[in-house]
Amino acid sequence: MRNNKINYQILSNTIRGLVIDAVENAGHGHPGAALGMADIATILYRNHLKFDPDAPNWHDRDRVVLSNGHGAMLLYSLLYLIGVNGVELEDIKSFRKAGSITPGHPEVGHTPGVEATTGPLGQGLGMAVGLALAEQRLRDEFGEHICNHRTWVFVGDGCLMEGVGQEAASLAGHLKLGQLNVLYDMNSISIDGNTDLAFTDNTNKKFEAMGWHTIIADGHNFEDIDRALQEAKQELSKPSIVLFKTIIGYGAPTKANNAGIHGSPLGSEEARLAKSNLNLVEEPFSIPSEVLQDWRKTGAMSQTLRITWEKSLATMPQIDREDFVRRMEGNLPSNFDDVIETAKLNLPTELLSLATRKASQIALEVVGKNLPELIGGSADLTGSNLTQTAATDSTFNPGKSGRYIRYGVREFAMAATMNGMSLHGGIIPYGGTFLVFSDYMRNAIRLSALMQTKVLYIMTHDSIGLGEDGPTHQPVEHLASLRAIPGMKVFRPADLTETIEAYQIALKTTGPSLFALSRQNSPAVRLSHTPLNLVSKGGYLIRETQKPRDLTIIATGTEVAIAIEAAVKLEKLGVHVAVVSLPCWSLFDAQPNEYHQEVLGDKPRLAIEAASSFGWTRYVADENDVLSVNEFGASASAEQLYVKFGLTSENLVAKALTKLSEESKP
């Protein structure tokens, strides 16, 4: 221990006092886990954590993730006690109140010092794996003197029951992430009661089998906690999990070790008795000055390490230092737009017809050569997603990082891991699977949008066009559900040019992007070069009329070519049709009304998309104005399925003529 004279019990109970008072003051919250983990947190922060509260975004800091995010008051209390700038006692008093920076679950970017948005159990563990992956990659690239820190993640029983927690743990064990340490709050209590009701795993043996170093410790014995954390730090060849036996609601005289304390205040009398048991003053939020001073000393312990690191950074070769800083600050190289423009100017003429998944691979090759921070991967579908390129051909292996991660069949963990990599900084991750499997990872995609992480989801086989694998693999409702996520950019590009432009926008803007990409080939629709990024506005006129338009057809992805084909046929019949390519709804919706009017016009509109018509009424008058797929698909070739479900230029022509006839009736 750094100082054997410190009274750890006083420090720990001070956390508990703030937890009790904040939850009582709010009238709701989750005190149980926070009370139980306070002793572990005290030793971690006092004796082992590399973190400077004066510089909470210091790049080489240890990361702490609270995967069991319902215990948020544990983290908020620690941030206040060690003196993180921007977290004051008033914020603790405002726990869970409107406008506070201390919401019910931790949110990155909302509260200084919070590393990840957690609450949905298990995802914090997945993000911690991503943080550790990013740390190892940057350590290998820039050296231990610039990047050499640990990731600590608190987890509860629920985190290890969730499938994503098991997926993430299996991946971390396989990759031997020795800088990752899991602190398992093994209190054996769930909301329904004792965990024996549903969870009787031998977690110690399970993690051993997954390649982890396992340690068992008493979560309320300070010497044992310190021993366990030191042992975890010394094991660098594999990740470590410390199984801490704890008591939920520690200190509460009648409610400790009881399911009722998980998510409810103690109540005034129980709170009074608990504070008395813990030798705390009864007055809410009262901390003796000498105790607060001791906690602030804890916070200052890593300041020298941070200053030494800053000196190391300053002595790096200028080109390496500038690259590291650029990447950690999330900036792109100054020549990035020039790279994209050159790629658009030099599109291979032989690629006039190709699948957009192949267009994606070409685009990834272009950007990957110029962005060393781009790290790819796939959930065991590399050959189908086409996510590996010459730039990302080095595999991330145990003990040696690379630019391509084999996630295995772990879609949910892949998404959570990518969130963690993005949160770390210095890395832009992308990962692939089939669009239909976005359901497996949806909650992590949702967290990407909530946190606004720069993560690229490469989702291929985007429609019935994938063919013979049939309805189990053919997405129908997925585009509508993903477009409904606030802050999520969903791109369904039509050809290679649109795909390159979509990647340019995804990489230049904040937040996550998802690419819905075809398995089947489709003709190129952008046949003339423009220096403008037309995808940047979400939608644009890809075919204009020489005479005043009679009709507008809107399409996305591979159906843009069908829309243009129908427009040409209608033109021969004397109907003047404008075609709108709408690769990203959210970007288009963000444009001013004048632009919407210019693109969509004021004439009748039709739409075509090989997916559910749900949501299209924001652009057309009725769902009947959409050629779509509102039932599960079938097993046949793409060509046969497009005919079966009516997604043809002939049907679009017939629908247009009917629509115009109806509109002309008095």
Side-chain angles (χ1 to χ4, degrees), residues 196-484:
D196 286 348
L197 293 170
F199 184 60
T200 52
D201 296 9
N202 187 328
T203 301
N204 183 46
K205 294 295 184 184
K206 179 189 286 188
F207 271 75
E208 280 185 1
M210 288 192 290
W212 286 64
H213 174 55
T214 65
I215 307 163
I216 298 174
D218 182 344
H220 301 301
N221 181 301
F222 295 110
E223 289 188 0
D224 205 30
I225 296 168
D226 194 68
R227 170 200 61 83
L229 298 186
Q230 187 62 39
E231 183 179 335
K233 285 167 60 177
Q234 290 172 346
E235 175 55 74
L236 297 176
S237 65
K238 59 180 71 174
S240 294
I241 179 172
V242 185
L243 296 89
F244 285 111
K245 182 57 183 173
T246 59
I247 297 172
I248 191 171
Y250 183 93
T254 67
K255 295 187 176 182
N257 204 31
N258 188 288
I261 202 170
H262 167 84
S264 300
L266 275 67
S268 58
E269 180 61 16
E270 184 82 359
R272 183 186 68 80
L273 293 173
K275 294 185 77 173
S276 176
N277 278 354
L278 298 168
N279 295 315
L280 297 167
V281 296
E282 189 172 334
E283 182 182 353
F285 304 105
S286 178
I287 303 173
S289 59
E290 65 274 15
V291 177
L292 184 59
Q293 184 179 16
D294 212 352
W295 264 115
R296 294 295 158 89
K297 288 179 182 177
T298 297
M301 284 181 171
S302 291
Q303 188 177 72
T304 301
L305 293 175
R306 190 255 302 172
I307 293 171
T308 300
W309 176 85
E310 290 174 345
K311 292 178 180 177
S312 294
L313 181 66
T315 60
M316 285 180 72
Q318 182 177 351
I319 189 170
D320 293 336
R321 181 176 68 252
E322 289 177 350
D323 187 42
F324 178 80
V325 172
R326 175 191 68 77
R327 288 172 56 173
M328 292 303 295
E329 292 180 351
N331 298 321
L332 297 176
S334 58
N335 68 338
F336 180 72
D337 287 336
D338 294 336
V339 168
I340 297 296
E341 178 63 11
T342 300
K344 287 169 60 178
L345 279 167
N346 296 291
L347 295 181
T349 55
E350 69 270 16
L351 297 178
L352 290 179
S353 178
L354 79 167
T356 52
R357 63 170 176 166
K358 180 62 179 178
S360 168
Q361 185 181 45
I362 294 169
L364 285 170
E365 186 72 70
V366 169
V367 297
K369 288 179 181 177
N370 295 275
L371 296 178
E373 59 265 43
L374 198 67
I375 304 294
S378 172
D380 200 47
L381 287 169
T382 295
S384 294
N385 301 147
L386 303 183
T387 39
Q388 192 166 26
T389 69
T392 56
D393 66 346
S394 57
T395 301
F396 201 119
N397 287 314
K400 183 174 175 56
S401 67
R403 290 186 64 187
Y404 196 80
I405 301 171
R406 307 283 181 172
Y407 287 102
V409 189
R410 302 184 183 100
E411 293 91 353
F412 199 171
M414 177 176 71
T417 297
M418 290 195 295
N419 277 334
M421 295 170 73
S422 178
L423 288 169
H424 181 280
I427 301 292
I428 300 175
Y430 70 86
T433 187
F434 291 169
L435 180 59
V436 75
F437 299 144
S438 62
D439 285 339
Y440 282 143
M441 56 206 295
R442 181 181 174 83
N443 203 258
I445 295 174
R446 183 177 186 272
L447 276 188
S448 295
L450 181 59
M451 297 186 292
Q452 284 295 284
T453 52
K454 186 175 288 188
V455 173
L456 308 182
Y457 293 100
I458 315 302
M459 303 292 185
T460 68
H461 296 58
D462 69 344
S463 72
I464 56 170
L466 68 87
E468 289 84 354
D469 275 344
T472 60
H473 284 56
Q474 293 168 2
V476 175
E477 75 281 14
H478 299 74
L479 284 172
S481 67
L482 291 163
R483 286 167 177 157

Side-chain angles (χ1 to χ4, degrees), residues 40-194:
I40 304 165
T42 296
I43 295 299
L44 172 64
Y45 276 72
R46 183 73 192 191
N47 292 355
H48 300 279
L49 192 67
K50 186 169 74 170
F51 183 87
D52 184 356
D54 288 338
N57 295 320
W58 163 34
H59 296 319
D60 201 33
R61 68 191 181 276
D62 283 358
R63 270 66 168 179
V64 175
V65 176
L66 185 69
S67 186
N68 44 352
H70 53 272
M73 265 310 305
L74 173 73
L75 184 55
Y76 299 151
S77 298
L78 287 160
L79 296 175
Y80 164 66
L81 289 170
I82 65 174
V84 170
N85 292 327
V87 182
E88 307 295 339
L89 187 59
E90 286 303 312
D91 299 311
I92 304 300
K93 295 178 180 179
S94 299
F95 176 54
R96 296 173 72 99
K97 297 187 184 299
S100 77
I101 65 165
T102 48
H105 292 83
E107 297 177 31
V108 66
H110 192 75
T111 312
V114 170
E115 302 284 5
T117 298
T118 55
L121 294 179
Q123 286 201 59
L125 176 53
M127 286 185 276
V129 172
L131 289 165
L133 280 167
E135 188 275 340
Q136 181 173 329
R137 177 61 187 165
L138 291 168
R139 177 161 31 98
D140 289 348
E141 286 189 84
F142 293 99
E144 292 187 357
H145 63 298
I146 295 301
C147 190
N148 186 17
H149 54 265
R150 313 193 71 79
T151 300
W152 304 89
V153 53
F154 288 92
V155 306
D157 295 299
C159 295
L160 300 187
M161 292 188 215
E162 289 284 0
V164 64
Q166 295 299 309
E167 290 180 28
S170 175
L171 179 63
H174 165 70
L175 292 175
K176 301 186 184 303
L177 299 176
Q179 303 280 67
L180 174 64
N181 300 127
V182 170
L183 310 177
Y184 175 23
D185 175 35
M186 195 167 59
N187 60 47
S188 301
I189 295 292
S190 65
I191 293 175
D192 281 357
N194 195 286

Side-chain angles (χ1 to χ4, degrees), residues 435 438 445 457 459 482 488-491 512-516:
L435 180 59
S438 62
I445 295 174
Y457 293 100
M459 303 292 185
L482 291 163
M488 186 79 200
K489 295 184 291 293
V490 178
F491 293 97
S513 297
L514 183 144
F515 296 80

